[in-house]
Amino acid sequence: MNRNIELFKDIIDTSDKITFFTGAGISVASGIPDFRSIGGLYDKVSKDGYLPEYLLSADYLQSDPTGFINFCHKYLLFANKQPNIVHQWIAQLEKNQQSLGVITQNIDGLHTDAGSVNVDELHGTLNHFYCVQCHNHYSKCDVIDNDLRTCESCGNAIRPDIVLYGEILNQSTIFNALHKIKEADTLVVLGSSLVVQPAAGLISNFKGQNLIIINRDATPYDSRASLVLHEDMVSVINELNPLK
């Protein structure tokens, strides 16, 4: 174990109000491509001649509900993707009452699948769907297993409970996330570039002792961090031997 990982372990072991902030990098480790990477969503739909921002917009849902839900089934639903050791480690620290919970930019629902309870999903989650008309709720399993495209009650379109372009973020989720960050003694950022809002604005509210950033590339907050690891997060967490 190198010195930086030993320091990371010491900080985690001596903290009891840890807040985690996660981005696309943690999902990539589970086989879900980063939206903007080669082979990711933006790359795939752009090659098909579409504007990704439009296909993920409230305008597209309203103008072509069938096309929207078909797009979701083709590009967003990953039935075979599972939480990785980093998700599991985060969930275990919450179970051990060392963590206040996790704030995530991801919509894949893997934190909840791993057992995390106190999760603020800034951009919503694909684990839940609802009817645009009668608001009947469905789980992701319901949608995938039954290939649901329309509501079983009223026949109207169903949509994932995610924030689309043209929609505002849930203010209660933002409030909860801010509270977690302000109350934390340690803030651990995993797999986020910290350039997409509201990420940068939220992180700037941290006043605790230790800001730790684990991300392959540099972020605007590296100079403010107590510890920066530009390493593969799965390898880092494996070195901690947390689940054995």
Side-chain angles (χ1 to χ4, degrees):
M1 187 181 296
N2 67 44
R3 182 181 177 186
N4 281 339
I5 295 179
E6 286 181 350
L7 177 58
F8 177 44
K9 184 178 186 303
D10 287 343
I11 292 172
I12 294 299
D13 288 347
T14 55
S15 299
D16 56 12
K17 291 184 179 180
I18 305 167
T19 291
F20 292 94
F21 188 101
T22 66
I26 191 173
S27 297
V28 169
S30 285
I32 297 176
D34 185 337
F35 273 20
R36 297 186 184 275
S37 66
I38 295 175
L41 175 66
Y42 278 65
D43 186 43
K44 289 178 180 178
V45 300
S46 296
K47 286 179 179 177
D48 288 341
Y50 299 106
L51 291 173
E53 290 85 357
Y54 179 65
L55 295 179
L56 278 170
S57 72
D59 287 343
Y60 182 49
L61 171 61
Q62 184 173 6
S63 64
D64 186 1
T66 300
F68 176 84
I69 192 61
N70 288 342
F71 162 78
C72 290
H73 275 261
K74 182 176 181 180
Y75 290 106
L76 298 183
L77 295 180
F78 299 96
N80 61 337
K81 305 305 181 184
Q82 301 296 323
N84 60 61
I85 190 174
V86 187
H87 295 102
Q88 294 164 355
W89 173 68
I90 291 171
Q92 187 61 50
L93 285 172
E94 182 182 345
K95 184 178 179 180
N96 294 347
Q97 298 185 331
Q98 281 183 264
S99 168
L100 301 175
V102 57
I103 304 158
T104 186
Q105 295 170 284
N106 302 328
I107 60 174
D108 49 51
L110 292 181
H111 282 295
T112 301
D113 293 347
S116 288
V117 176
N118 197 356
V119 183
D120 293 312
E121 295 163 309
L122 298 176
H123 301 138
T125 177
L126 289 167
N127 277 355
H128 305 130
F129 283 68
Y130 64 90
C131 174
V132 299
Q133 182 64 36
C134 72
H135 297 281
N136 198 26
H137 284 261
Y138 300 90
S139 70
K140 181 172 69 175
C141 290
D142 293 332
V143 172
I144 292 176
D145 293 347
N146 300 298
D147 194 30
L148 289 180
R149 311 284 170 130
T150 57
C151 179
E152 293 179 321
S153 297
C154 70
N156 283 283
I158 57 174
R159 60 162 289 178
D161 192 11
I162 61 176
V163 181
L164 303 175
Y165 285 98
E167 297 179 333
I168 63 172
L169 300 184
N170 182 283
Q171 294 306 297
S172 177
T173 301
I174 295 294
F175 177 82
N176 289 338
L178 277 171
H179 180 73
K180 277 196 186 85
I181 289 172
K182 290 178 179 179
E183 290 295 310
D185 55 9
T186 294
L187 177 61
V188 182
V189 177
L190 292 155
S192 176
S193 62
L194 297 180
V195 295
V196 177
Q197 292 291 354
L202 290 172
I203 298 301
S204 65
N205 288 275
F206 176 65
K207 306 300 181 185
Q209 186 174 358
N210 298 295
L211 172 60
I212 300 171
I213 298 175
I214 305 177
N215 194 56
R216 284 193 173 276
D217 301 317
T219 81
Y221 282 79
D222 284 6
S223 61
R224 305 188 195 184
S226 311
L227 178 65
V228 177
L229 296 169
H230 290 153
E231 300 182 38
D232 175 68
M233 69 179 71
V234 170
S235 298
V236 171
I237 302 308
N238 268 322
E239 280 209 51
L240 298 184
N241 202 27
L243 304 175
K244 298 179 182 179

